[in-house]
Structures are given as structure tokens and as C-alpha cells.
Amino acid sequence: MMTPRSVVMGNKVYKLHVKHGSNKECFAVSPELTIDQLQERIAESFQVLPDDQVLICNGKLMQFNGTMSLKQARIPNGSKILLQRCSETRIAKQPGAGEEGEGGVGVGGGSGYAQGVQPPAARGEHSGQENGEQDLQNIEAKGTEAENIVRQLGQEISRVKEQSSE
């Protein structure tokens, strides 16, 4: 009869795969490592301060007490962790980080196009160069819309983080 791999390994070392942007790093850590300690190790590798980190583990937002161990938080060996940067100070410094009505885009509302940009069907026919310019404007508008949504989600995550720490 075969012995399960976790028993053979003795659960002494977890391998966690962390990704931030296009950078990937594999961490070999103890299951007794706390969430705070993990965030410190991630900060050393990716230069993202622990307070600015939003960790998504296996598709779920990590909202654990920082003193909780990986084992207690039920983060299994081989987990994939996505690191996202969330900083209120960074959001406040960026121009155009206003609310809806100031050029911002509300989450889940509207037609899916930024203000002043028409969907392709409403644009009509244009010459090749005009079409290319219009496509570029649409891409830029969608990028701006996505940035605004990410900012709003980041602000919401920060609020939830602050409320849970109180």
C-alpha cells in the first residue's frame, strides 16, 4: 500500500508559487510560517510593501489574520498566489482618480464604453486610417476604464482590510 505524499514529506516544506505582473517566484516555506511573514518574504522579492499587497490564493482573496499560519489558514502546498498592488497613497497621487461624474467609470454600470466613445456599430464606416485612429481611441478608453475599475476595487479592498483590522 502506498503512503500519501504529504505523509512522506512530513509537511515540512510548502512550495508556494507567487506571481506579480510578469514576474514569478517559487517560495519554499514552512507550513508554520505566518501570513505576515509570508508578506515580508514577498515584499523582499517583488518590492511591494506588505500594506500595499493584495494576495489572491487559488482564486480567492486572502483575508486572514496576519498572525495565522499557512496551515491554519488552510493554504495548501503548491498553492498559486497572485500578488496585486493596492495603495491608497498611490491611488490618491494619480490624476483622474475621481468618482463617477468626474470622468470616472462606475463598476458594472454604463454601456461598457468610456464617456464619449461609441460602440463600433454606432461609429459607421470610415477610411482605413480613420478606422485605425478610432480603434486606438477605443483601446485607450477601455484601458482608462479598466484602470478606474481597478482603482475602485483597490479602494474597496483597502476599506475592507481596514474594517477587518479594527
Side-chain angles (χ1 to χ4, degrees):
M1 185 157 133
M2 283 183 60
T3 307
R5 184 170 180 233
S6 61
V7 173
V8 172
M9 291 177 61
N11 290 333
K12 298 202 185 213
V13 177
Y14 275 14
K15 226 178 187 183
L16 301 177
H17 307 276
V18 181
K19 182 179 179 188
H20 178 61
S22 62
N23 301 325
K24 295 179 185 177
E25 186 102 15
C26 187
F27 293 94
V29 297
S30 163
E32 301 306 318
L33 189 77
T34 66
I35 302 294
D36 285 340
Q37 292 168 331
L38 175 64
Q39 286 185 309
E40 286 295 327
R41 295 217 22 210
I42 290 172
E44 291 170 8
S45 295
F46 294 101
Q47 286 75 44
V48 177
L49 296 174
D51 290 341
D52 293 345
Q53 294 177 9
V54 175
L55 302 177
I56 300 171
C57 179
N58 297 327
K60 295 181 182 174
L61 182 62
M62 288 178 56
Q63 294 181 323
F64 301 113
N65 181 347
T67 59
M68 188 180 281
S69 73
L70 297 175
K71 196 173 188 179
Q72 291 169 332
R74 297 180 187 253
I75 297 173
N77 184 20
S79 290
K80 292 176 176 41
I81 298 175
L82 176 64
L83 168 64
Q84 294 183 339
R85 183 181 300 242
C86 174
S87 171
E88 287 291 328
T89 57
R90 198 181 102 225
I91 291 169
K93 289 179 186 175
Q94 290 183 350
E99 295 296 318
E100 191 171 5
E102 293 180 12
V105 177
V107 177
S111 66
Y113 289 92
Q115 188 175 10
V117 177
Q118 299 175 346
R123 286 196 313 247
E125 293 298 318
H126 299 286
S127 70
Q129 185 175 4
E130 290 174 345
N131 225 3
E133 290 173 5
Q134 188 70 33
D135 288 342
L136 181 59
Q137 288 176 352
N138 285 338
I139 290 169
E140 289 174 350
K142 286 180 183 179
T144 302
E145 178 181 9
E147 288 173 357
N148 288 334
I149 291 170
V150 168
R151 273 190 220 104
Q152 289 175 351
L153 290 173
Q155 290 170 343
E156 183 64 27
I157 289 170
S158 293
R159 279 195 293 272
V160 169
K161 237 181 171 178
E162 287 175 10
Q163 290 173 354
S164 66
S165 67
E166 291 176 354

